[in-house]
Each structure stands twice: as C-alpha cells, then as structure tokens.
Amino acid sequence: QKEVEQNSGPLSVPEGAIASLNCTYSDRGSQSFFWYRQYSGKSPELIMSIYSNGDKEDGRFTAQLNKASQYVSLLIRDSQPSDSATYLCAGGYNTDKLIFGTGTRLQVFP
Amino acid sequence: EPEVTQTPSHQVTQMGQEVILRCVPISNHLYFYWYRQILGQKVEFLVSFYNNEISEKSEIFDDQFSVERPDGSNFTLKIRSTKLEDSAMYFCASSARNQPQHFGDGTRLSIL
C-alpha cells in the first residue's frame, strides 16, 4: 500500500518566520512529488513540483527531496497570514495517479 | 491562465439516483483524472483517463462509476446509483505529458 504521511498540525508560525512542512512516503518507485495548497472548502492549488534529489526554489517557496530517506519538505520563507491553509504533499508516477497525504494545516499569525 | 472548469459547483441528489459530474480540462492537456475528498479526509484518487480509455482506477471506482469523454472538450464522471457514502467533493484534474496535474474547483455532491 503506497502511503504519504504528513503531520496534520496545526503548525503555527508568526508572520515573517519560516514555515517548515514535512512529508514521508513509503513507495521508493514514486518519481515525482508535489506540494499543493488547499484553502478550506477549495480545491488543491499547485505550489511546487520536484522530481530529483536536492532543493528547488520558487519565490518564497523551497521544496526539498531526499529519495534515500523518502522525505520531502516545503519551506515557506517570510510567511504571511495569507499562507494559512492546508498543505498537501502528493507523490506520483509521471502522469499517473497522485497519492496524497492528509495535509498539514499551517496557521500564520500576525 | 487556463484552468480546469467543473459543473455544477453543488449537486444535491436523492440516494439511488444517477448523477453526472462535468469537467472541461485545460485545452492542450491529454491526461484526465477524477479525485474525491470526503469532508475532513484526504484527497483520494478515483480514475485516470488517457487516449479515450481508463489508464488506472482505484478500488473506490467500482461498477457504479464510469467516465466518458463525449466530445473534444468535456470529461464526465457518472455515478449510476448513488449511495449516502458518495457524498464528497469531486475534483477533476488534467495534465500535459510529464507535467503536474491542475485541479478544477470541484463539485460538492450531497446525497440525501
């Protein structure tokens, strides 16, 4: 059974701080990893994709992948109250299905 | 920016009735998906579709479910005889080859 695990949170950080979100996965065959943001009652919105070991940066977001440890993380720098949402980690196989974690709820307080 | 559109946004149906959820994927995408999310739970894969056939389906996608691409733009999910436990948000997604999936706003299905 392929699983993606996340701490459900909430993770509370002050405005301007770095938020660190983590995810582990069970299937070594997973090739692609994604972070989606989901506001309450809304659909998942793609934030980052990462396919190879190392870091990938996009604006305030940095995704990190360590395939040996089966670990994916998302760092959000200069966190804003508007970043408050649930962050979903997902693993996939090219254009195949995505396996989602339960999501980590992030709260950024002013 | 192109987006996946889903209709209706909310569907209320009596148990045992058929329901069709509609999606218009992003125009140059060739891979289509349906997911569902029961309230408070994780997003779950239902089915993937490529080249006019199902690529993969989950255990949830039983004989009561079907998908169709009736024309060049629409992608539909049909539930033949709805059950109470089918109540959920249903998300359509699409992708280009080897590209991330983009999700529509979802259809909230409520079974009474």
Side-chain angles (χ1 to χ4, degrees):
Chain A
Q1 181 77 354
K2 301 165 188 171
E3 296 282 347
V4 173
E5 301 286 343
Q6 293 182 259
N7 187 319
S8 61
L11 172 66
S12 293
V13 300
E15 184 175 356
I18 296 174
S20 177
L21 304 159
N22 305 311
C23 164
T24 59
Y25 60 95
S26 62
D27 184 5
R28 288 189 176 274
S30 293
Q31 299 167 335
S32 313
F33 298 89
F34 307 90
W35 284 99
Y36 287 83
R37 178 174 62 197
Q38 187 175 34
Y39 292 111
S40 181
K42 302 296 186 183
S43 64
E45 174 192 6
L46 180 70
I47 298 296
M48 293 284 287
S49 59
I50 187 163
Y51 305 100
S52 55
N53 279 327
D55 295 0
K56 179 181 177 183
E57 186 174 319
D58 184 0
R60 295 186 297 113
F61 300 97
T62 298
Q64 299 172 318
L65 174 59
N66 183 325
K67 291 189 176 182
S69 300
Q70 295 176 241
Y71 178 88
V72 192
S73 66
L74 179 71
L75 299 178
I76 306 174
R77 289 180 296 282
D78 189 23
S79 296
Q80 301 296 310
S82 58
D83 294 327
S84 298
T86 297
Y87 288 80
L88 310 178
C89 175
Y93 301 77
N94 291 327
T95 45
D96 206 341
K97 65 184 180 189
L98 293 178
I99 305 296
F100 282 88
T102 53
T104 298
R105 187 157 63 94
L106 173 65
Q107 295 177 335
V108 181
F109 56 91
Chain B
E1 183 170 328
E3 57 183 29
V4 177
T5 57
Q6 290 186 243
T7 55
S9 57
H10 191 191
Q11 175 78 47
V12 181
T13 302
Q14 291 289 331
M15 185 173 59
Q17 296 297 304
E18 175 183 287
V19 66
I20 297 176
L21 310 182
R22 291 183 164 80
C23 169
V24 179
I26 294 172
S27 62
N28 63 340
H29 287 183
L30 299 176
Y31 299 82
F32 314 120
Y33 314 83
W34 283 101
Y35 294 83
R36 78 172 186 190
Q37 187 176 31
I38 295 170
L39 187 64
Q41 297 187 23
K42 65 172 70 175
V43 176
E44 300 174 288
F45 168 78
L46 293 178
V47 66
S48 58
F49 190 86
Y50 169 71
N51 200 24
N52 283 318
E53 60 183 29
I54 290 174
S55 307
E56 186 173 359
K57 58 185 180 180
S58 72
E59 293 178 353
I60 302 167
F61 195 89
D62 62 20
D63 291 344
Q64 294 301 310
F65 290 86
S66 62
V67 289
E68 190 179 31
R69 188 156 164 80
D71 53 44
S73 60
N74 290 283
F75 179 51
T76 62
L77 174 69
K78 181 193 291 187
I79 309 174
R80 261 179 278 280
S81 179
T82 51
K83 303 185 285 286
L84 292 176
E85 54 264 39
D86 293 328
S87 295
M89 282 290 287
Y90 287 80
F91 295 112
C92 174
S94 70
S95 73
R97 186 173 184 80
N98 293 331
Q99 294 298 310
Q101 296 175 29
H102 293 268
F103 285 70
D105 287 342
T107 293
R108 180 174 300 282
L109 178 62
S110 299
I111 307 300
L112 304 179

